[in-house]
Amino acid sequence: MLDFVHDINTKVLFGKGCIEKLPEELAPLGRRVLLAYGGGSIKRTGLYDTIMKLLSDGGFEVTELSGIEPNPRIGSVREGVKLCRERGIEAVLAVGGGSVIDCAKAVACGVFFEGDPWDMIRTSRRRMKALPLAAVLTLSATGSEFDDSGVISNLETHEKLGAILTPPAVSFCDPTYTFTVSKYQTASGSADILSHIFEGYFSRTDDSDVFDGLAETVMKTVIKYTPTALDEPENYSARANLMVCSSIGCSGIPEYGKRGTGWPCHAMEHELSAYYDITHGVGLAILTPRWMRHILKKDPTVTPRFARFARNVFGITEGSEAELAEKGIDAIDAFLRSVGLPTCLSELGIGEEHFEAMAEHANRGGRLERAYVPLTKEDVIGIFRACL
Ligand code: NZQ
Ligand code: ZN
């Protein structure tokens, strides 16, 4: 097991009705609040009214930043920074999925950044000075409620970049808020959670058993409860388990003690979203099995890890190590095909015209050369082609 640092200082309130504690938790952070939200789901569900009442009863002064898009744009960040400066905002309250929370993180940091927020996103590699941030999670997927990163898009330059920004000081995770999440977003969210786990699990370190075991439990939980959440959107157990998996999945904890992997599927998916503005989890669901098949073929030394995945996650025991490895990939492929998401890029109207440029960008800073199985530009183009 390699050395690691545990440094997560987000307070998480988990469970039905935890929002009642919002005024108490927010008061020490600030009284003049920027309320950030997306395209209107929180108004349709009534959460907006609940929060506005709590804030007004608590004597908070509220400024709104609304209309934050999925794959949040740098334009929303710029708008939020301007509002914060004009109104003397003291704290940011994000209510929504990963896109809203990520945008709110960038706004909270952008207030203290001298220069254009896009330069901050391009260059940020460590936690930044930020306004305090509270998050109310409404979609289980990204783990943004429990990490310090944010992913912001600049569609003009075809860039979607992850940046280290700031963690929420406090996150409210009420699984009942996810009852209204569509089947499409529920399935995408689960594909994203699984991918966060895969990105750490498929590593060269084999003796970090406690964290591999945690990762396997998260994978089994997502595979068990996603179909339930799709069939019964108001099943509390399913939504609650998926919500915890969201937070753990991208927290870094499942990777503790393990060698870095370059997160290759995320590097490739962010190119798809940057060029075609697709849903993050959908891109991952399409890429993941193709990436797995590609690296298993390219480098058979990964066979034992894939065999372990088959055994410990899917309970497959019959066959040689090589057969188990293939069966494990077949099993996750079948699962990802079963949840109702698009299964290839052509279904999304994506062709190969930008594959060269996307493959080059995906390897920014030589990131994919340090991947679990190092990937060349040709490898990445091959994986994209296999997704068509
Ligand atoms: O905008 P509204 O109207 O709120 O609707 C949203 C949006 O259309 C809707 N939604 C959210 N909660 C809902 C709901 N609809 C009904 N009921 C609810 N309770 O769902 C749609 C998608 O929301 P979004 O926030 O975009 O989804 P997600 O949470 O999957 O976030 C995706 C973004 O996060 C980034 C992705 O790249 C993408 O930009 N990521 C962030 C990470 C991080 N911060 O650590 C890591 C991830 O790997 C990921 O890259
Ligand atoms: Zn992700």
Side-chain angles (χ1 to χ4, degrees), residues 355-374:
F355 283 178
E356 284 259 338
M358 286 159 59
E360 247 166 52
H361 295 167
N363 193 23
R364 269 186 201 88
R367 165 181 181 173
L368 297 181
E369 284 147 31
R370 297 187 295 274
Y372 173 49
V373 171

Side-chain angles (χ1 to χ4, degrees), residues 141-142 192-193 195-196 250 263 266 270 280-281 284:
T142 64
D192 190 21
I193 299 169
S195 179
H196 297 157
C250 207
W263 280 52
H266 274 68
H270 285 174
H280 176 59
L284 291 169

Side-chain angles (χ1 to χ4, degrees), residues 21-349:
K21 295 260 192 301
L22 178 67
E24 185 181 322
E25 295 293 338
L26 199 53
L29 306 185
R31 286 272 162 198
R32 277 199 298 280
V33 174
L34 183 79
L35 172 63
Y37 58 96
S41 72
I42 68 163
K43 291 204 168 160
R44 290 190 291 281
T45 61
L47 181 55
Y48 174 85
D49 291 337
T50 304
I51 286 178
M52 286 306 265
K53 182 161 187 340
L54 285 167
L55 293 177
S56 115
D57 290 353
F60 293 88
E61 194 184 302
V62 181
T63 297
E64 296 189 26
L65 173 67
S66 62
I68 296 168
E69 317 81 356
N71 297 331
R73 319 288 200 252
I74 191 64
S76 295
V77 178
R78 291 185 183 122
E79 189 187 336
V81 169
K82 190 163 168 271
L83 283 173
C84 287
R85 288 181 179 154
E86 283 170 1
R87 309 279 170 90
I89 295 295
E90 295 167 338
V92 181
L93 173 61
V95 185
S99 294
V100 170
I101 302 174
D102 284 3
C103 180
K105 288 177 179 175
V107 169
C109 295
V111 171
F112 295 99
F113 185 81
E114 287 181 24
D116 182 52
W118 185 244
D119 290 331
M120 174 186 81
I121 298 299
R122 286 196 307 105
T123 54
S124 170
R125 298 287 171 270
R126 57 179 58 212
R127 286 183 194 174
M128 305 188 67
K129 183 173 180 194
L131 290 175
L133 172 69
V136 179
L137 182 65
T138 66
L139 198 169
S140 304
T142 64
S144 190
E145 68 279 10
F146 197 52
D147 73 14
D148 56 12
S149 38
V151 185
I152 304 295
S153 292
N154 185 338
L155 296 186
E156 283 163 28
T157 57
H158 294 307
E159 285 174 290
K160 178 176 178 177
L161 302 179
I164 308 292
L165 297 167
T166 185
V170 55
S171 286
F172 297 84
C173 297
D174 181 337
T176 67
Y177 294 159
T178 64
F179 285 177
T180 53
V181 176
S182 66
K183 284 184 194 292
Y184 188 83
Q185 290 294 342
T186 298
S188 307
S190 290
D192 190 21
I193 299 169
L194 284 172
S195 179
H196 297 157
I197 298 293
F198 297 148
E199 301 278 35
Y201 185 78
F202 292 100
S203 156
R204 294 286 171 185
T205 306
D206 281 322
D207 68 344
S208 191
D209 281 81
V210 64
F211 297 111
D212 274 341
L214 174 65
E216 286 159 356
T217 297
V218 173
M219 290 189 263
K220 285 192 281 191
T221 305
V222 174
I223 290 163
K224 173 178 173 181
Y225 279 115
T226 300
T228 314
L230 293 175
D231 291 345
E232 305 164 38
E234 301 199 6
N235 184 306
Y236 185 84
S237 302
R239 294 296 194 178
N241 276 282
L242 291 176
M243 198 169 241
V244 176
C245 288
S246 163
S247 302
I248 296 176
C250 207
S251 65
I253 298 172
E255 298 169 79
Y256 282 177
K258 303 184 66 175
R259 203 164 120 190
T261 68
W263 280 52
C265 287
H266 274 68
M268 292 186 279
E269 196 298 309
H270 285 174
E271 293 306 312
L272 291 172
S273 312
Y275 275 79
Y276 297 99
D277 198 19
I278 67 169
T279 301
H280 176 59
V282 172
L284 291 169
I286 295 172
L287 281 164
T288 298
R290 275 81 170 198
W291 164 76
M292 288 178 168
R293 291 191 200 285
H294 188 94
I295 62 168
L296 182 62
K297 195 165 168 209
K298 181 173 181 187
D299 182 356
T301 66
V302 302
T303 303
R305 181 123 288 248
F306 277 96
R308 173 185 169 139
F309 169 66
R311 268 193 300 270
N312 293 2
V313 177
F314 288 103
I316 304 168
T317 51
E318 296 291 310
S320 64
E321 288 286 280
E323 285 164 347
L324 286 176
E326 295 280 358
K327 286 181 185 179
I329 300 176
D330 290 345
I332 194 65
D333 196 354
F335 171 78
L336 290 168
R337 285 173 192 274
S338 74
V339 295
L341 295 175
T343 54
C344 60
L345 294 179
S346 46
E347 272 183 67
L348 302 170

